[in-house]
Amino acid sequence: MDELVEFKTEDGVRVVVEGVEDEDGARLVSRGDGPARAARTFEDSLDGVRAAAASALRVFRDGSLRPDAVELEFGVKLSAEAGAVIAKGSAEGHLVVRLSWSPEQSPTPAEPLPSPTRPETPDAAALS
């Protein structure tokens, strides 16, 4: 079972998360009176995830696809020593990418044409 890990934000707020076990099976040991304390701030721990997201967005926004929207979804696990780790899902990795394009908008309609004018009716006096 994963242990609790305490992170502090840069503002000093305490964030407690369920941590992950390291690859080699090593675990941090809490002091006995609470969760293990992380070596980095919460924000510092997420820096790698932010960099990964920015890099992935660059890949999907640049080039020939040019989607209107890019949505990235990946799981993140927090480790007291490693910080944020992109989590493995049921497959080897977990990254969901959604690209979307809006239907092309038809050009805005031009100003309506004035209604055709009726031929002038002859004046009754002119007919006599």
Side-chain angles (χ1 to χ4, degrees), residues 65-70 98-106:
L65 293 177
R66 301 204 184 276
D68 293 327
V70 177
R98 288 184 187 86
L99 306 176
S100 61
W101 292 264
S102 300
E104 285 191 34
Q105 300 293 327
S106 59

Side-chain angles (χ1 to χ4, degrees), residues 43-124:
E43 291 87 351
D44 287 344
S45 296
L46 293 174
D47 278 345
V49 175
R50 179 184 11 213
S55 179
L57 284 173
R58 255 192 321 277
V59 168
F60 292 109
R61 284 187 174 155
D62 293 348
S64 61
L65 293 177
R66 301 204 184 276
D68 293 327
V70 177
E71 182 179 326
L72 300 173
E73 174 186 318
F74 46 92
V76 175
K77 291 185 179 182
L78 295 167
S79 164
E81 290 181 350
V85 178
I86 296 176
K88 174 168 98 167
S90 58
E92 285 302 308
H94 177 76
L95 175 65
V96 176
V97 178
R98 288 184 187 86
L99 306 176
S100 61
W101 292 264
S102 300
E104 285 191 34
Q105 300 293 327
S106 59
T108 56
E111 289 286 322
L113 296 174
S115 58
T117 57
R118 291 189 203 158
E120 292 186 28
T121 54
D123 194 50

